[in-house]
Amino acid sequence: MTTHAPHLIRGESGDWEVVIGLEVHAQVTSQAKLFSGAATAFGAEPNTQVSLVDAAMPGMLPVINGHCIEQAIKTGLGLKAQINRRSVFDRKNYFYADLPAGYQISQYLQPIVGKGEIVLDLPDGRGRTIAITRLHLEMDAGKSLHDQHPSQTYIDLNRAGVALMEIVSEPDLRTAEEAGAYVRKLRSILRYLGTCDGNMEEGSLRCDCNVSVRHPGEKLGTRTETKNVNSVRFVMAAIEHEARRQIGVLESGGTIQQETRLFDPATGTTRPMRSKEHAHDYRYFPDPDLLPLELSEAEIERIRASLPELPDDKKKRFIEGYKLSAQDAGVLVAEQAAANFFEAVAAGRDAKLAANWVINELFGRLNAAGKPIDASPVAAERLGALVDLIQDGTISGRIAKDVFETMFETGRDPAAIVEEKGLRQVSDTGALDAAIAEVLAGNADKVAEFKSGKDKLFGFFVGQVMKKTGGKANPGLVNDMLRKKLSS
Amino acid sequence: MTTLTDLSMAEARDGLRARKYSAKELAEAHVAAVERIKPLNAFITATPERALAAAAEADRRLARGEERAMEGLPLAIKDLFCTEGVLTTAASHILDGFKPPYESTVTANLWRAGALMLGKANLDEFAMGSSNMTSHYGPVESPWRRKGDNRALVPGGSSGGSAAAVAARAALGATGTDTGGSIRQPAAFCGIVGMKPTYGRCSRWGIVAFASSLDQAGPLTRNVRDAAIMLGAMAGHDPKDSTSVDTPVPDYEMALTGDIRGLRIGIPREYRMDGMNPEIERLWEQGKAWLRDAGAEPVDISLPHTKYALPTYYIVAPAEASSNLARYDGVRYGLRVPGRTLDEMYENTRAAGFGKEVRRRVMIGTYVLSAGYYDAYYNKARQIRTLIARDFDRAFKVCDAILTPTAPSAAFALGEKMDDPIAMYLNDVFTVPASLAGLPAISVPAGLSGDGLPLGLHLIGRAFDEAGVLKIAHVLERAADFRARP
């Protein structure tokens, strides 16, 4: 019997391999649109952020927004990609009511960014490199509102002209989990770079999932494209469903149609998009209103020099510098704010202890409260101060958890909480002597049992002493002293 | 005193400054002339109140000695330029009722120089035509008639209303746009000067687009000096047009020195075509002789890809137009003819809104950009366009300007050639190569045909050498001494 590789799906006709490529549309972080000066804020009243260019009034001309170009270059550099010194904006022609000019300005044959890569952080700590095919800039369309009138459609052009980066991966992904990890990692890089806020709920990051299945070693199967999936969870669900659907179709003797599908979050399934009456021929051609975009090496280098430390480098540094596990380092670097928080806590302290407190206590508590790191009630300096109190023996790790709970609720300084609640650890041997003597005297039978060989009772004595001191006794000291007393 | 409408722009400018007449009088004379030439259908919209209001302001400025370069000079504006609050139609039904909330850069530049608007001049629909027959607002008649023949003639196109208004003395000058000859050919037909500057010299912002890589605004005037004055006011870099070029605008009037000694004038052998009208050929020879007499040196040159220019143009221009005109969809402005579905609304609106020639070009353009045809047509045309531009680059190594006829014939009668689009397209055979190469070119009235109609000579210059072109045109104009009037 052959072993079943974990990334394959077992079917009736044998194992199936899922082949996935993703096209991510990331909204460029920019005050103004790609070709007009109009604003881009989310959630504005319909048609309040529309310039004459966006509305495609007669005689209006697009002018490239230099900031958006810089953002695209930055992103390309962050993806370790080839930046093309010359790129061309093309018109993609089709009629739709929310596409005012009747064409979308995009980049077809000569995109601004070429081949790059993303390293996935897999749960077992391994990295896996996924190739990026290209990144190009394009403008978004407006929005058709079908629910405002019984028989007519309203158009909101606020989004029309907003700059998007389309980031296309090679079909290198093999599981829904990998696809999820890809989107998470891409999102992380974009947020580090400040080129896209990655807000999937507001549509700043949308994903088209290209999925096909095949028996391992066979040539690529026919793919479907599931459009506009807007969360990591949905991306994974859509791929999972689509893969199983395709296997089902193929195993029952059917064939896969190359088609565009939609994911329904309510049912977790995909369905074909309403088939268009006419096949689209986009008639791409270079936009004569825009000159080819020429970039100088100096410009690219200037942007390269401005790049922040990115998650992969940061992770490497955390592993090497702070001696963290790959797992912990991966968790800490996913969000730049979290990594910064950790570094503030770890500064001059035991980094592993700091990482523990940030990941296990703080992240756990923030997750439960549904708060992002930058809304943490516990400031980094205060969490650092708590770690100090543990390190210098003022409080035990146990007590520290109670102190942390109070800090999370009140945001207060840990030292003040310790003083106020009298939580300082008892390391006074005289006081401990008395407590130990009391415990041994009160449990003479257990002492006898212990001496006759029941070693396990040692923990019981420690617990009793801690109880007597209200948990404040220094546990190491209690151990040492008890052992001495019981062996005498 | 001559009639105010007979003045050249330069004379009117100087007369206003010398207080020989007021801007108000000048404007009133032209407003009346616009009214008088109504039968020519040269204007789609007249704006007399606007002209008179601007004249009042001009008089105030003149009184204070604060006059600007074109203070008080009345112009016709081709109705392809968006003018704020004034109906702008592109001579198309599809822009019904469209009043732009903005002013094109070129017209804004003219108003800033003190010029005033008499009205919006008729044109071929979306500037697609060489006869002004395709306007939704009806054809324009040329003020000219053949000797002993009272049949109405076309003014040429697409800037037919502009040319007719200037030739008929209803405006001192007019704006035009030229995509393949739309300023130069009507100028030749109407016996006036028409100049297409270098692509990028005038901003295209606010001009209804026909073919974006070719469209260029320019002046139509009654003499070369006026063209220099008007171009100086129209031209200039505009950050709102990415194809507008940031290069200084020289004082074109200063360039009219009359001295062209030693300049080499290229005579392209490929422009001498089989079956060429002998009148046109004779005029061309005459032009060559005039320039030689003025001290220039005619040189034979070759522009080997000339024969491909027209087919190249009739692929590139419709391709861009098919995309540029997609925005006229009935959704946001202009005409909307309802339908049961969005697609039906599009079809109804565009079928009703576009005339036959526009529909023809949209279909040709859509076809040449289609999958499977793109490489054979559009891409090939782009490649040939590069070769045509290279022909000119080579030629300008051995000459300073190129002399050709403007059009293969004099004006034809209204309705002629309408059943044969190819014959109509041939009107542009001499003007299209310079358009494809983006070069400045001018048509100067140089003589009359046997039946008494104006004929133009055409000068093409190096990129951004409008000054050089104007200088030679000025000498040509003096030699030709064209005094005929419609």
Side-chain angles (χ1 to χ4, degrees):
Chain A
M1 201 182 124
T2 55
T3 46
H4 179 77
H7 73 277
L8 300 178
I9 295 178
R10 184 163 287 164
E12 285 166 15
S13 59
D15 284 347
W16 291 90
E17 182 179 47
V18 188
V19 177
I20 306 154
L22 298 181
E23 290 170 26
V24 171
H25 294 259
Q27 179 177 336
V28 176
T29 299
S30 165
Q31 299 291 314
K33 295 182 181 181
L34 184 52
F35 297 113
S36 80
T40 58
F42 177 78
E45 284 294 301
N47 296 314
T48 54
Q49 299 184 153
V50 186
S51 76
L52 297 167
V53 176
D54 304 326
M57 301 298 280
M60 291 300 97
L61 300 172
V63 175
I64 296 176
N65 176 342
H67 178 65
C68 294
I69 299 297
E70 188 160 332
Q71 293 284 61
I73 296 169
K74 209 177 222 183
T75 306
L77 293 172
L79 298 174
K80 300 187 171 61
Q82 164 74 34
I83 307 299
N84 293 325
R85 293 276 300 277
R86 182 189 158 93
S87 65
V88 172
F89 285 96
D90 298 288
R91 292 187 184 177
K92 177 181 180 178
N93 295 282
Y94 65 95
F95 282 96
Y96 201 65
D98 57 24
L99 186 72
Y103 55 84
Q104 177 196 33
I105 305 177
S106 180
Q107 296 190 298
Y108 183 47
L109 293 176
Q110 293 174 267
I112 185 165
V113 176
K115 289 190 186 313
E117 62 178 51
I118 285 187
V119 179
L120 304 190
D121 301 302
L122 298 177
D124 58 7
R126 278 183 311 126
R128 186 157 123 65
T129 302
I130 303 299
I132 301 284
T133 313
R134 58 184 277 165
L135 174 157
H136 71 251
L137 279 166
E138 62 184 28
M139 52 182 252
D140 206 350
K143 213 160 95 184
S144 294
L145 309 170
H146 299 293
D147 54 358
Q148 309 283 308
H149 186 280
S151 61
Q152 307 212 310
T153 297
Y154 284 22
I155 305 293
D156 176 9
L157 294 180
N158 280 354
R159 285 198 69 85
V162 163
L164 304 177
M165 295 180 282
E166 181 171 326
I167 303 163
V168 183
S169 85
E170 289 290 314
D172 285 356
L173 300 158
R174 290 294 174 270
T175 65
E177 289 68 33
E178 283 185 359
Y182 173 90
V183 176
R184 275 195 301 269
K185 187 59 176 285
L186 176 59
R187 183 173 176 276
S188 168
I189 293 171
L190 295 171
R191 286 171 54 86
Y192 264 70
L193 293 165
T195 55
C196 170
D197 66 20
N199 193 329
M200 297 188 87
E201 294 75 48
E202 292 178 4
S204 300
L205 204 70
R206 281 133 48 194
C207 193
D208 299 345
C209 310
N210 290 288
V211 176
S212 64
V213 298
R214 64 177 172 187
H215 291 300
E218 287 182 354
K219 65 181 179 60
L220 288 173
T222 304
R223 70 186 165 83
T224 63
E225 183 180 15
T226 304
K227 284 268 192 203
N228 275 330
V229 188
N230 67 351
S231 86
V232 174
R233 199 157 54 85
F234 294 162
V235 166
M236 293 167 64
I239 290 170
E240 195 65 43
H241 172 268
E242 187 53 21
R244 292 189 184 276
R245 185 191 71 82
Q246 290 186 13
I247 292 169
V249 169
L250 292 170
E251 292 197 331
S252 58
T255 52
I256 302 300
Q257 300 300 315
Q258 180 157 352
E259 64 186 357
T260 306
R261 300 178 68 88
L262 284 176
F263 177 69
D264 181 355
T267 60
T269 60
T270 67
R271 61 182 158 80
M273 256 168 95
R274 184 175 52 87
S275 82
K276 302 255 163 61
E277 291 161 50
H278 22 243
H280 274 307
D281 176 353
Y282 290 123
R283 290 169 284 126
Y284 281 101
F285 75 106
D287 190 333
D289 287 332
L290 294 164
L291 303 171
L293 181 65
E294 311 266 2
L295 303 170
S296 71
E297 202 57 55
E299 215 170 333
I300 296 168
E301 287 315 308
R302 179 182 60 74
I303 296 167
R304 193 191 301 278
S306 78
L307 289 188
E309 183 185 34
L310 289 171
D312 289 342
D313 293 331
K314 204 182 275 291
K315 182 176 170 187
K316 191 157 171 275
R317 183 165 62 79
F318 280 14
I319 293 170
E320 287 168 6
Y322 293 118
K323 309 291 177 211
L324 301 184
S325 68
Q327 174 89 38
D328 282 357
V331 172
L332 287 171
V333 303
E335 288 284 336
Q336 194 167 30
N340 291 345
F341 193 100
F342 160 73
E343 292 211 81
V345 176
R349 304 189 176 96
D350 179 337
K352 279 188 185 169
L353 188 58
N356 243 331
W357 275 91
V358 171
I359 296 170
N360 298 326
E361 303 305 323
L362 180 66
F363 287 0
R365 199 63 180 75
L366 285 171
N367 274 343
K371 283 185 175 165
I373 184 79
D374 29 8
S376 168
V378 178
E381 307 77 66
R382 299 227 148 137
L383 188 56
L386 182 65
V387 171
D388 287 342
L389 292 178
I390 302 165
Q391 271 186 274
D392 67 14
T394 308
I395 54 173
S396 67
R398 243 282 299 122
I399 292 288
K401 291 192 182 185
D402 295 341
V403 175
F404 176 79
E405 197 49 42
T406 308
M407 290 167 73
F408 197 87
E409 277 152 22
T410 64
R412 289 175 58 203
D413 173 29
I417 297 169
V418 167
E419 283 315 313
E420 183 188 290
K421 298 198 172 173
L423 297 174
R424 188 172 281 278
Q425 186 162 257
V426 178
S427 302
D428 172 351
T429 48
L432 289 180
D433 253 341
I436 289 168
E438 255 182 74
V439 166
L440 296 185
N443 295 284
D445 49 339
K446 297 249 173 24
V447 172
E449 279 179 53
F450 178 82
K451 289 195 170 169
S452 66
K454 209 167 175 189
D455 292 354
K456 281 185 184 160
L457 279 169
F458 186 75
F460 165 78
F461 297 121
V462 173
Q464 290 300 305
V465 175
M466 294 306 284
K467 200 172 165 190
K468 224 162 201 77
T469 58
K472 292 181 287 182
N474 182 326
L477 212 50
V478 171
N479 266 322
D480 290 351
M481 292 171 68
L482 255 178
R483 213 168 283 285
K484 258 184 218 155
K485 276 270 194 283
L486 287 168
S487 61
S488 64
Chain B
M1 194 177 99
T2 43
T3 321
L4 291 179
T5 50
D6 279 343
L7 296 168
S8 72
M9 212 179 261
E11 286 165 348
R13 174 190 63 186
D14 299 343
L16 286 170
R17 289 177 188 188
R19 308 282 191 278
K20 287 187 186 161
Y21 33 80
S22 66
K24 179 166 178 276
E25 290 167 301
L26 187 66
E28 281 169 350
H30 282 93
V31 164
V34 169
E35 189 60 31
R36 194 174 61 239
I37 67 155
K38 238 179 179 166
L40 298 183
N41 198 27
F43 286 88
I44 292 174
T45 306
T47 55
E49 304 82 8
R50 206 186 132 123
L52 296 174
E57 165 65 10
D59 279 329
R60 282 191 291 275
R61 279 184 171 263
L62 284 157
R64 294 199 298 266
E66 290 169 1
E67 67 277 356
R68 299 161 293 182
M70 292 187 67
E71 198 69 62
L73 303 180
L75 303 177
I77 300 300
K78 187 178 187 179
D79 204 14
L80 202 63
F81 291 80
C82 289
T83 42
E84 190 174 351
V86 178
L87 182 69
T88 298
T89 67
S92 182
H93 186 33
I94 209 154
L95 274 170
D96 263 9
F98 176 63
K99 289 183 180 175
Y102 48 92
E103 185 78 28
S104 84
T105 298
V106 162
T107 49
N109 288 348
L110 287 167
W111 313 146
R112 203 175 306 111
L116 47 94
M117 178 165 79
L118 293 163
K120 303 295 292 287
N122 203 344
L123 65 151
D124 280 301
E125 185 180 3
F126 282 103
M128 296 178 189
S130 308
S131 63
N132 217 115
M133 292 295 292
T134 71
S135 168
H136 172 68
Y137 296 88
V140 176
E141 272 184 30
S142 170
W144 291 83
R145 290 289 183 275
R146 289 185 186 121
K147 258 188 300 194
D149 181 349
N150 206 32
R151 271 184 305 165
L153 303 174
V154 301
S158 66
S159 310
S162 298
V166 173
R169 271 68 182 165
L172 290 181
T175 61
T177 61
D178 190 313
T179 305
S182 278
I183 288 175
R184 293 161 286 165
Q185 184 254 21
F189 278 17
C190 289
I192 62 172
V193 171
M195 180 163 206
K196 178 197 94 75
T198 313
Y199 182 78
R201 182 56 102 177
C202 290
S203 169
R204 293 184 295 114
W205 193 89
I207 301 173
V208 174
F210 161 16
S212 309
S213 74
L214 295 156
D215 294 346
Q216 190 56 207
L220 293 107
T221 55
R222 287 198 291 270
N223 65 42
V224 172
R225 181 172 302 278
D226 291 359
I229 293 169
M230 193 167 158
L231 178 61
M234 294 169 72
H237 177 237
D238 179 4
K240 290 187 290 190
D241 174 1
S242 308
T243 63
S244 138
V245 175
D246 193 0
T247 181
V249 178
D251 184 335
Y252 294 124
E253 212 180 342
M254 295 278 285
L256 309 181
T257 59
D259 182 3
I260 60 164
R261 283 173 300 172
L263 289 182
R264 296 156 304 168
I265 308 297
I267 309 294
R269 81 171 65 100
E270 290 79 5
Y271 281 54
R272 199 174 303 278
M273 292 166 181
D274 285 345
M276 194 171 181
N277 180 337
E279 280 182 343
I280 302 289
E281 201 169 347
R282 266 200 305 281
L283 183 75
W284 191 13
E285 279 303 316
Q286 179 63 67
K288 195 165 110 179
W290 282 329
L291 294 177
R292 186 189 292 117
D293 293 347
E297 178 201 341
V299 291
D300 287 328
I301 59 162
S302 173
L303 299 168
H305 295 92
T306 298
K307 65 177 171 208
Y308 302 114
L310 210 53
T312 297
Y313 174 83
Y314 276 99
I315 289 169
V316 172
E320 293 181 11
S322 71
S323 176
N324 283 336
L325 269 57
R327 66 187 57 200
Y328 306 104
D329 58 4
V331 174
R332 298 170 311 288
Y333 46 77
L335 184 71
R336 177 190 291 186
V337 181
R340 281 167 306 172
T341 62
L342 180 63
D343 282 350
E344 209 178 280
M345 190 278 279
Y346 285 153
E347 287 167 9
N348 294 347
T349 301
R350 290 166 65 86
F354 290 145
K356 193 173 162 193
E357 182 61 25
V358 171
R359 292 203 302 270
R360 179 181 1 250
R361 297 203 197 188
V362 167
M363 284 190 283
I364 291 172
T366 303
Y367 179 83
V368 301
L369 288 175
S370 298
Y373 298 98
Y374 181 89
D375 285 330
Y377 291 101
Y378 184 73
N379 227 8
K380 186 64 78 184
R382 268 164 49 99
Q383 289 162 350
I384 297 171
R385 186 175 180 182
T386 307
L387 296 177
I388 289 167
R390 201 172 298 161
D391 282 356
F392 281 105
D393 286 346
R394 291 213 179 98
F396 282 123
K397 292 199 168 74
V398 298
C399 69
D400 301 295
I402 295 168
L403 179 73
T404 81
T406 308
S409 71
F412 41 91
L414 244 62
E416 260 175 36
K417 307 193 186 189
M418 287 309 287
D419 50 351
D420 184 356
I422 303 292
M424 189 67 90
Y425 295 170
L426 279 169
N427 267 291
D428 302 329
V429 68
F430 298 125
T431 49
V432 150
S435 294
L436 289 169
L439 300 172
I442 195 167
S443 177
V444 179
L448 291 174
S449 66
D451 47 10
L453 294 181
L455 298 172
L457 283 173
H458 183 223
L459 283 162
I460 306 167
R462 294 192 179 94
F464 297 101
D465 186 25
E466 284 83 3
V469 172
L470 285 161
K471 173 159 71 179
I472 300 166
H474 183 230
V475 170
L476 198 59
E477 175 182 57
R478 284 206 302 210
D481 195 24
F482 183 87
R483 289 163 185 269
R485 293 181 52 158

